[in-house]
Amino acid sequence: KKAVQKLDDELKTRGKFFGGSSCPPLSPGTLRLYSMRFCPYALRTRLVLAHKQIPFETVNVDLKNKPEWFLKINPKGLVPTLEKDGKVVYESLITCDYLDDVYPQNRLTPSDPYQRALDAMFLDYFSNKFVPNFYKVLRSKGKDDEARHELLKALQKINDEISKRGKFFGGDEVRMIDYMMWPWLQRLPLVCQFDPVFEASSSDLPELSAWSERMQAQPAVQETDINQEIYATFFKQYLEGNPPYDLGLEP
Ligand code: GSH
């Protein structure tokens, strides 16, 4: 019992991560998010949880030495993963839609089926054209010209889209599609830091910059914000094969 209490106390310490052979038991009725503090996919789920003010607990998983108990919960071994009362849901987009359906307050998904389809198509474009090139540019430290070209093209298209849609991709208010893209668009300064050419060519996207500022003012964004400098350090060490999951935490 003492050991469980100790694990439970640890769980409450934000940022702790769990590897090893055991994980604190999940209490009935509690929603748990298996996460990793610097994961942009998990940030999607955290944004939705924050926006909808859903109570939950976090277990940050040691993804480098993936524990057996985690693979039993999610055989893909990926975060984000949600668990509650024996129900397990993973894949970031699926977790977010699931939360929006199960917790109806502060609805994020459009009720119009055509608008939902339009959003899904744009997100599909974003996932296939923006996200992979974002990582290619970062990994090559800006030396992959083709990836940089593709990333700029995608950014231009995203800028055109927000110009058509209004204040947010969801129109007048922040909606699911905004939160689904934010984790990578928030990390754009990271690309610029590694790649001055990219910075110069991407600086002329006024509508996207205005959207970024509006996003930064959202309570859910502020609540889940990560310090970009800490993230840059994390990413550098991650690329070297040594992700510092504890980075930036109080001792
Ligand atoms: N398609 C997944 C989703 O949308 O949830 C991707 C999630 C993902 O790649 N998460 C990373 C992960 O769990 C952390 S940022 N990596 C562990 C691994 O690749 O083994």
Side-chain angles (χ1 to χ4, degrees), residues 39-41 63 66 77-80 91-92:
C39 172
Y41 296 95
L63 294 174
K66 243 176 247 174
L78 297 176
V79 299
E91 281 303 315
S92 55

